[in-house]
Amino acid sequence: MKKRWKVTGRALLVLSLIVGVFLIYIQFSYRQKYDVPQTGIVASRDSAVIARGEYLVMGVGHCWNCHAPDGETNLQTGSRIGMSGGLPFKLPFGTVYSANITSDTLTGIGGYSDEMLARTLRYSVRHDNTALIPFMAYNGMSDADIRAVISYLRTIKPIRNQVPKTHLNMAGKIVARFVLKPVVADPPAPKAITRDTSIAYGKYLATAVGNCVSCHTNRDKNTGAFVGSKFAGGYQMKSKTGVFVTPNLTPDPKTGVIASWKPSDFVRRFRAGAVRPHTPMPWKSFQSLSENDLKALYYFLHSLEPVNNNQVNP
Ligand code: HEC
Ligand code: HEC
């Protein structure tokens, strides 16, 4: 009997040593750096490029919804508070704070090179080449549009605001060490894209810029992986007033919310902005979408295979 206890005790000791070594290993290695290709993207001072960047950042790309200090208020009131960051995202494995993306050199992106910023958008890595938790799905954004976004960011007035450091618990560090990787767009991002009302441009806006696909597809709560048909809705999102579920955007005659809409109805709906209070959909940003871009989105969504999936919000 005594001997057996001794053996078990020794086994436990060995086990805790192994766990201890593993945890120390994680602690020292979770900030893994990755080699990602150069993009060669350089900011421009051309006013047309900067204007395109502003449209993307404030409008369809909705960066300010996460990078302004009070995204919720911003979302509702449409005020243009500077993008000085600090919005907390509470996750099961830690708290992540959005970065200060004003041009402040100490606390913002003023000290980052164009290449660093371009890589963040193209490959989902930070300026120091560590992998980001995938909040930003702009990997398929064209070279020309990334250039426009960066060019606009360079013109934003600096705001000094030290954002708290991302805090990961041990599970988060394990995820950071083994799961998070740079993201490579598939299909590869185009150099530039024609901005007409084509299905191709609509698809680009819905998947590489406006991120419609990320919210309007059912996803696994823990991994974020798509588990439902793309654009068929069903993803549940918490907000101040309760849980929202994203509607089905495919043209299914019974369950697709926009199936019976004409292009003009779609444009009108976006001009109206948020109808349901505290909806997580960035309506305020999308209100400024051009008629051209809204039509492209509409034609793309109507080109999808209809999926029967009933998802209704109160
Ligand atoms: C859904 C929320 C969300 C949206 C939308 C968003 N961001 Fe972010 N962004 C974050 C979060 C959160 C972080 C910090 C993540 C971290 O450090 O782990 C971040 C970090 C960054 C960083 C800093 C990376 C570094 O080097 O530390 C840059 C630059 C950035 N975002 C630019 C943008 C731009 C440009 C857009 C719009 C095209 C945008 N973001 C849209 C949430 C968002
Ligand atoms: C951050 C998540 C999120 C993103 C990004 C998002 N949506 Fe939504 N969307 C929602 C939610 C939640 C609802 C349901 C609540 C509401 O109607 O506001 C919704 C509702 C809608 C509706 C139905 C409106 C109605 O009157 O019933 C349409 C149409 C729509 N989204 C289209 C889009 C398009 C197109 C994009 C991309 C340009 C997009 N959404 C991006 C979350 C999102």
Side-chain angles (χ1 to χ4, degrees):
M1 196 58 181
K2 248 192 184 163
K3 199 166 178 194
R4 198 183 299 159
W5 277 120
K6 243 189 195 162
V7 172
T8 318
R10 220 172 270 159
L12 279 177
L13 190 71
V14 170
L15 191 68
S16 48
L17 266 177
I18 293 175
V19 171
V21 169
F22 176 71
L23 294 183
I24 291 169
Y25 166 73
I26 292 295
Q27 186 60 38
F28 283 98
S29 69
Y30 77 92
R31 286 193 195 89
Q32 184 91 350
K33 295 195 183 202
Y34 293 94
D35 249 342
V36 293
Q38 293 272 119
T39 65
I41 295 171
V42 182
S44 156
R45 295 200 179 174
D46 183 301
S47 59
V49 176
I50 293 172
R52 169 73 179 166
E54 178 169 13
Y55 175 73
L56 292 168
V57 169
M58 293 295 178
V60 64
H62 59 279
C63 317
W64 64 296
N65 286 94
C66 293
H67 284 281
D70 185 351
E72 179 70 13
T73 309
N74 248 333
L75 207 66
Q76 303 306 327
T77 63
S79 62
R80 289 192 165 198
I81 304 166
M83 293 186 288
S84 56
L87 193 68
F89 293 85
K90 293 202 176 77
L91 306 169
F93 45 81
T95 305
V96 181
Y97 299 87
S98 66
N100 178 348
I101 58 171
T102 71
S103 50
D104 186 52
T105 44
L106 279 182
T107 61
I109 58 162
Y112 301 174
S113 66
D114 293 342
E115 186 60 43
M116 285 171 178
L117 295 171
R119 284 180 183 182
T120 293
L121 296 173
R122 175 60 54 77
Y123 297 110
S124 299
V125 292
R126 294 188 186 85
H127 59 284
D128 61 3
N129 283 359
T130 52
L132 280 162
I133 298 169
F135 276 103
M136 297 182 285
Y138 305 111
N139 314 92
M141 198 185 261
S142 72
D143 284 8
D145 280 346
I146 290 186
R147 177 175 196 231
V149 165
I150 296 172
S151 305
Y152 172 65
L153 292 183
R154 294 293 189 214
T155 69
I156 296 178
K157 185 165 104 310
I159 300 176
R160 187 140 299 176
N161 178 38
Q162 187 67 56
V163 168
K165 277 217 157 60
T166 286
H167 169 78
L168 296 178
N169 57 29
M170 199 30 93
K173 287 176 186 168
I174 294 174
V175 168
R177 174 63 186 84
F178 296 111
V179 184
L180 291 184
K181 294 264 150 58
V183 181
V184 177
D186 178 27
K191 287 250 170 267
I193 187 154
T194 311
R195 301 187 326 231
D196 51 17
T197 58
S198 65
I199 291 172
Y201 183 52
K203 180 175 185 183
Y204 170 78
L205 290 174
T207 54
V209 192
N211 216 1
C212 324
V213 67
S214 297
C215 290
H216 285 276
T217 306
N218 197 9
R219 296 165 69 179
D220 184 290
K221 273 278 170 226
N222 293 316
T223 63
F226 290 135
V227 291
S229 302
K230 286 197 177 157
F231 298 100
Y235 185 51
Q236 294 196 352
M237 309 182 76
K238 274 208 193 96
S239 112
K240 255 189 195 162
T241 44
V243 176
F244 281 90
V245 56
T246 50
N248 180 356
L249 299 182
T250 74
D252 179 55
K254 282 214 183 79
T255 63
V257 278
I258 66 164
S260 65
W261 296 8
K262 292 196 238 1
S264 56
D265 297 326
F266 191 77
V267 173
R268 212 174 307 123
R269 176 66 194 85
F270 273 79
R271 290 284 173 264
V275 172
R276 300 177 172 95
H278 301 295
T279 166
M281 167 140 161
W283 285 106
K284 209 69 212 179
S285 297
F286 293 158
Q287 232 170 343
S288 66
L289 254 70
S290 68
E291 188 164 329
N292 179 86
D293 290 6
L294 287 170
K295 285 190 173 153
L297 280 164
Y298 174 91
Y299 292 130
F300 163 65
L301 293 170
H302 268 258
S303 78
L304 294 168
E305 200 59 46
V307 177
N308 185 299
N309 186 25
N310 197 25
Q311 301 292 345
V312 279
N313 278 290

